[in-house]
Amino acid sequence: MRRATIALGIGAAASTLTALPLGKLQMESLSGAGFLAVLILAVAAVLAGILRLRPLAVASGLGFLGVALFELVQLAATDANALGGSLSTVSMQFAFGLGVIAVAASTRKTGGARS
């Protein structure tokens, strides 16, 4: 669980770089609140991996899924966009959420080996 969760957290933090206004290189969009939400969840995922805290990893994954669902509902049902996201943002956060939860759920404890 440790390395995979850390890698997913770092990947999530790095994904915010694709939202920077760089013309054709901008692949997704985020507002300041969106950047903050993703970075907080990414730090939580990294800490979960470093400290081997499965509940924190699951909470982080659920947070990513919550952000994705919040964005999707706002994009589909209202004109508001509090986190400034796009459908690309929704899919990326959904993937990070499922990834972190899958890693936390699938890791099993063994006698002396560390994950």
Side-chain angles (χ1 to χ4, degrees):
M1 178 185 104
R2 183 178 185 195
R3 283 180 259 156
T5 307
I6 292 169
L8 284 165
I10 292 171
S15 75
T16 60
L17 297 175
T18 64
L20 295 176
L22 300 173
K24 292 181 181 181
L25 295 177
Q26 183 178 1
M27 293 184 248
E28 63 176 309
S29 61
L30 284 171
S31 67
F35 273 105
L36 185 62
V38 171
L39 291 176
I40 288 171
L41 293 168
V43 167
V46 170
L47 286 176
I50 291 171
L51 301 175
R52 295 190 173 121
L53 296 174
R54 193 175 315 268
L56 181 58
V58 171
S60 172
L62 290 173
F64 279 118
L65 292 178
V67 167
L69 184 62
F70 181 70
E71 285 288 337
L72 185 60
V73 168
Q74 279 200 322
L75 290 170
T78 67
D79 290 332
N81 194 350
L83 300 179
S86 63
L87 288 177
S88 296
T89 310
V90 169
S91 63
M92 191 171 296
Q93 303 320 319
F94 186 72
F96 282 121
L98 285 181
V100 172
I101 290 171
V103 167
S106 68
T107 306
R108 56 192 159 118
K109 293 184 179 181
T110 58
R114 291 188 168 189
S115 56

